């Protein structure tokens, strides 16, 4: 039910009616209403259709989390988060600096199989710091997209093309 409810929130944030969404997707208005109220389970095969059609930052994060489970970056919406771009940029700087500092604690020249239990724990702490930095950066992207009314879908499409042109990725999956 959560994905359907969040689809309704995304639709409303974008100013799209159920009828409007239905006219641009292979789903009837009645089905959309049932997904949004939880009367019908939101089917997995419609996730990408709705995410692409709505092009809503918060809905992207939720659908990613719903599809990938715990291996996704969450949308930062806790009480300690201020979505102003300056505040988010400050968070990115703080989290990135913590991650860069933690990189210095890892004995990179030492083979993994010879590392102590303490060194392995330090490596896990590094991973958490890297995840914090990555999550804050992706959330800043979302905040900037929202503020400037940029399409996250279009920007990510362009970005992936730039990754391909730099041979960072072989092909788009």
């Amino acid at each position: 039910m959560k994905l359907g409810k969040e689809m309704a929130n995304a639709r409303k944030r974008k100013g799209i009616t159920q009828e409007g969404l239905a006219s641009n997707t292979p789903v009837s208005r009645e089905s959309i209403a049932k997904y949004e109220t939880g009367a019908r389970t939101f089917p997995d095969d419609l996730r990408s259709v709705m995410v692409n059609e709505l092009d809503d930052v918060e809905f992207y994060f939720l659908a990613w989390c719903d599809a990938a489970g715990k291996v996704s970056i969450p949308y930062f919406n806790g009480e300690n988060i201020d979505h102003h771009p300056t505040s988010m940029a400050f968070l990115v700087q703080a989290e990135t600096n913590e991650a860069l500092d933690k990189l210095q604690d890892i004995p990179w020249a030492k083979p993994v199989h010879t590392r102590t239990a303490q060194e392995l724990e330090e490596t896990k702490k590094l991973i958490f710091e890297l995840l914090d930095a990555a999550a804050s950066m992706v959330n800043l992207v979302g905040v900037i997209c929202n503020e400037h009314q940029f399409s996250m879908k279009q920007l990510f499409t362009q970005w992936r093309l730039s990754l391909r042109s730099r041979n960072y990725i072989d092909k788009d999956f």
Side-chain angles (χ1 to χ4, degrees):
M1 177 171 157
K2 183 172 182 159
L3 195 58
K5 179 181 177 197
E6 292 303 322
M7 181 178 71
N9 292 338
R11 181 180 55 72
K12 291 171 187 172
R13 280 191 296 271
K14 291 294 190 171
I16 301 171
T17 64
Q18 289 178 341
E19 292 83 9
L21 185 57
S23 70
N24 292 324
T25 60
V27 183
S28 70
R29 192 217 52 84
E30 293 78 12
S31 291
I32 290 171
K34 289 178 181 176
Y35 298 144
E36 290 182 353
T37 62
R40 185 179 291 167
T41 303
F42 194 91
D44 289 341
D45 61 334
L46 281 182
R47 182 182 294 118
S48 68
V49 171
M50 293 304 182
V51 165
N52 283 320
E53 184 59 33
L54 290 168
D55 196 14
D56 178 78
V57 170
E58 289 180 53
F59 195 53
Y60 280 125
F61 279 92
L62 182 71
W64 180 10
C65 185
D66 190 60
K70 302 298 180 197
V71 184
S72 62
I73 291 178
Y75 180 69
F76 286 1
N77 60 358
E79 64 183 48
N80 291 333
I81 295 297
D82 177 358
H83 284 125
H84 188 278
T86 303
S87 297
M88 291 300 293
F90 179 78
L91 179 64
V92 166
Q93 285 183 319
E95 295 296 351
T96 301
N97 288 337
E98 288 176 22
L100 292 172
D101 288 345
K102 199 70 176 156
L103 276 169
Q104 304 306 310
D105 297 341
I106 307 302
W108 296 110
K110 193 174 181 181
V112 174
H113 70 278
T114 65
R115 293 185 188 170
T116 66
Q118 179 61 34
E119 290 168 334
L120 294 174
E121 281 304 310
E122 289 301 314
T123 302
K124 286 181 184 177
K125 289 178 184 175
L126 166 65
I127 291 169
F128 292 140
E129 294 297 341
L130 291 169
L131 288 170
D132 285 349
S136 64
M137 287 181 193
V138 174
N139 273 268
L140 176 57
V141 167
V143 164
I144 293 170
C145 285
N146 268 345
E147 179 158 291
H148 295 283
Q149 298 180 347
F150 293 149
S151 165
M152 211 164 161
K153 177 175 61 174
Q154 289 175 346
L155 290 173
F156 268 72
T157 299
Q158 292 169 342
W159 172 63
R160 290 176 86 71
L161 288 172
S162 80
L163 291 176
R164 206 174 314 143
S165 72
R166 292 178 281 161
N167 293 318
Y168 285 9
I169 58 174
D170 187 22
K171 58 184 174 183
D172 236 352
F173 290 100

